[in-house]
Amino acid sequence: MNALNVAVAGLGTVGRETVRLLRARRAELKEHLGAELRLVAVADRGAAREARGLGLPASVALYRDPLDMARRAEADLFVELLGGLDAPKRFALSVLGRGKALVTANKRLLAHAWPEITGAARAGGARLAFEGSVAGGIPVLRALELSFSGDRVLGVDGILNGTTNYILSRGEEGLSPQDALKEAQILGFAEKDPAMDLSGQDAAQKLSVLAGLVTGGWLKPGTFPVTGIEAVSSRDLTFARERLGMAVRLVASLRFSGKPGAPAVEASVAPTMVPMGHPLAAVRRQYNALLVHTASAGDLMFYGKGAGAGPTASAVLADVFVLARDIRGGLPAAASTARRLALTSPDHAISSYYLRLEVLDRPGALARIADALADAGVSIAAIHQDQTSGRRSVPVMIVTHRASRGAFNNALKRILSLAAVKPEHCAMRIMA
Ligand SMILES: NC(=O)c1ccc[n+]([C@@H]2O[C@H](COP(=O)([O-])OP(=O)(O)OC[C@H]3O[C@@H](n4cnc5c(N)ncnc54)[C@H](OP(=O)(O)O)[C@@H]3O)[C@@H](O)[C@H]2O)c1
């Protein structure tokens, strides 16, 4: 096989750069692979316009409908860079159903349709790769899939969303969350509608992909606790830095347990205080990182740009290269197994907590808050009340000793039901 045919669906930010790199690096790729990677088809609503812009030759077939291309293009390898859920799902199922290899960078597709997509790959004996779907250009998935084959991955802690990390780390430099978001939007890496990022849902989808890759099971979105950064204020960031020597990061965590063949996982996404000396505190601006905890190799950190045309296209092309190499080598597609994934509750996890409350200036209010914590078995390590005069309510910052997440949440529920405590609050785990 002297050439492998490639078809790309979606010529937006990542698709255009993927096609550009595929053509610009043709000679190097051919030398490394021992065969040419030949672009034979592209699909996009604006395929004709984009093809002109990219200077594609007439030999590249143009489709407006990706599904049409999935059914008809004579390609060995299809790349899905459409974004969204329904059209990519139809495209992926059609490609995999034909037994063709699929590369995608679509975390939403994988998180929400994991059983169908991996099931179709299995049934069709098709290859599937999705390095670009998590942490952009950082090769975390291949490392998790292959590099720890002789080891055991115990868990991961990741900064998987560039927008929220930009807001939190610029906040440390004194910028308000609102201004930091505006800045990120002007710089072009935060979405116009940042809701998925701010709410933690984007990081949660990436966590589902990571869990699926490590365990073979489906970590269904919506089944594990996800907290965004909406409640984190400049006051929290300043208090963390100046009083506690901590940085705040949106940390996506997995802890693996269970037996071989019957995996279990504890998953969460939440703003978390991390000591300034912790490797995740050194991850600033739009950068991403994944700290992998293993049984034998210890802790390893992967760091780099988590999004953008260049980093993501680099990951997509790496997938294309690896799958093409396997096809050429006649390797059978990896026989992934569909496993039921048991979820363990994070309620038993032990750590210290930070809690900021808005408390009405009433006698006995602090005592009632302390009682609620004590009744749940949570003891206070420090309490700080901001001396803001002329306000009906004052911010109160509490740091607890180590307690279970369940106990802390029980106390929090009771505290928020107190008449003297306003609903707005910020609660964060403090990483040791
Ligand atoms: N951008 C990043 O930094 C980044 C990083 C990691 C992963 N990803 C993932 O990569 C994928 C692509 O992202 P992107 O930023 O390149 O998206 P994008 O700029 O919106 O590009 C998607 C392209 O596909 C076209 N398209 C979508 N649905 C179509 C359909 N049903 N029929 C025909 N054309 C269709 C769009 O056309 P219209 O514009 O006309 O809709 C657009 O040209 C997504 O899954 C994303 O999550 C992106």
Side-chain angles (χ1 to χ4, degrees), residues 35-50:
E36 193 185 342
L37 283 173
R38 197 163 51 198
L39 183 70
V40 293
V42 292
D44 192 283
R45 275 191 204 96
R49 182 191 63 233
E50 297 301 342

Side-chain angles (χ1 to χ4, degrees), residues 8-10 42-47 62-73 82 87 90-91:
V8 177
V42 292
D44 192 283
R45 275 191 204 96
L62 308 181
Y63 294 85
R64 280 181 59 80
D65 178 7
L67 194 56
D68 197 18
M69 181 176 84
R71 289 178 181 143
R72 290 175 35 205
L82 298 162
R90 284 193 295 275
F91 178 81

Side-chain angles (χ1 to χ4, degrees), residues 185-258:
Q185 284 168 327
I186 289 166
L187 291 171
F189 58 83
E191 307 270 345
K192 264 197 214 119
D193 176 4
M196 288 294 289
D197 299 315
L198 301 187
S199 65
Q201 294 302 330
D202 173 84
Q205 288 177 354
K206 292 165 181 166
L207 208 59
S208 290
V209 178
L210 285 171
L213 183 93
V214 173
T215 66
W218 186 27
L219 177 59
K220 193 175 169 185
T223 60
F224 56 96
V226 175
T227 310
I229 67 160
E230 296 100 328
V232 180
S233 67
S234 297
R235 190 185 297 278
D236 302 314
L237 299 176
T238 305
F239 189 86
R241 189 184 66 244
E242 291 179 359
R243 303 233 170 203
L244 305 176
M246 301 264 172
V248 177
R249 298 287 179 264
L250 184 68
V251 178
S253 298
L254 293 171
R255 292 292 177 272
F256 300 105
S257 55

Side-chain angles (χ1 to χ4, degrees), residues 82-115:
L82 298 162
L85 186 56
D86 294 336
K89 190 166 152 186
R90 284 193 295 275
F91 178 81
L93 294 178
S94 171
V95 166
L96 296 168
R98 284 179 66 194
K100 300 291 183 183
L102 177 74
V103 172
T104 177
N106 192 332
K107 72 220 157 207
R108 189 168 164 211
L109 169 70
L110 293 161
H112 287 275
W114 180 264

Side-chain angles (χ1 to χ4, degrees), residues 71-360:
R71 289 178 181 143
R72 290 175 35 205
E74 288 301 321
D76 305 291
L77 232 148
F78 288 80
V79 180
E80 184 277 306
L81 297 167
L82 298 162
L85 186 56
D86 294 336
K89 190 166 152 186
R90 284 193 295 275
F91 178 81
L93 294 178
S94 171
V95 166
L96 296 168
R98 284 179 66 194
K100 300 291 183 183
L102 177 74
V103 172
T104 177
N106 192 332
K107 72 220 157 207
R108 189 168 164 211
L109 169 70
L110 293 161
H112 287 275
W114 180 264
E116 288 140 288
I117 299 296
T118 55
R122 223 174 7 258
R127 290 158 221 278
L128 173 65
F130 40 88
E131 184 68 71
S133 64
V134 179
I138 319 173
V140 288
L141 296 188
R142 194 142 291 114
L144 281 172
E145 188 185 9
L146 297 175
S147 304
F148 305 117
S149 300
D151 201 337
R152 198 151 55 86
V153 178
L154 306 173
V156 299
D157 291 304
I159 293 175
L160 302 177
N161 181 270
T163 299
T164 46
N165 204 55
Y166 192 86
I167 292 170
L168 295 172
S169 59
R170 283 292 278 142
E172 277 159 32
E173 298 162 27
L175 210 64
S176 75
Q178 295 74 15
D179 287 345
L181 173 61
K182 264 188 223 137
E183 198 174 85
Q185 284 168 327
I186 289 166
L187 291 171
F189 58 83
E191 307 270 345
K192 264 197 214 119
D193 176 4
M196 288 294 289
D197 299 315
L198 301 187
S199 65
Q201 294 302 330
D202 173 84
Q205 288 177 354
K206 292 165 181 166
L207 208 59
S208 290
V209 178
L210 285 171
L213 183 93
V214 173
T215 66
W218 186 27
L219 177 59
K220 193 175 169 185
T223 60
F224 56 96
V226 175
T227 310
I229 67 160
E230 296 100 328
V232 180
S233 67
S234 297
R235 190 185 297 278
D236 302 314
L237 299 176
T238 305
F239 189 86
R241 189 184 66 244
E242 291 179 359
R243 303 233 170 203
L244 305 176
M246 301 264 172
V248 177
R249 298 287 179 264
L250 184 68
V251 178
S253 298
L254 293 171
R255 292 292 177 272
F256 300 105
S257 55
K259 291 188 238 110
V265 70
E266 178 191 307
S268 66
V269 175
T272 304
M273 285 193 180
V274 293
M276 282 298 181
H278 190 282
L280 291 181
V283 181
R284 296 202 171 83
R285 307 263 168 139
Q286 67 269 47
Y287 279 83
N288 280 199
L290 192 75
L291 188 56
V292 182
H293 310 286
T294 73
S296 301
D299 291 350
L300 297 97
M301 182 139 121
F302 297 82
Y303 170 87
K305 285 194 175 146
T312 312
S314 151
V316 169
L317 263 194
D319 277 349
V320 169
F321 180 86
V322 169
L323 293 193
R325 192 194 58 187
D326 291 352
I327 294 170
R328 260 179 64 73
L331 294 181
S336 65
T337 41
R339 296 204 173 103
R340 279 183 67 87
L341 185 58
L343 267 179
T344 55
S345 161
D347 275 1
H348 66 273
I350 304 283
S351 62
S352 305
Y353 287 90
Y354 162 87
L355 175 61
R356 172 180 47 81
L357 299 165
E358 278 288 323
V359 182
L360 296 175

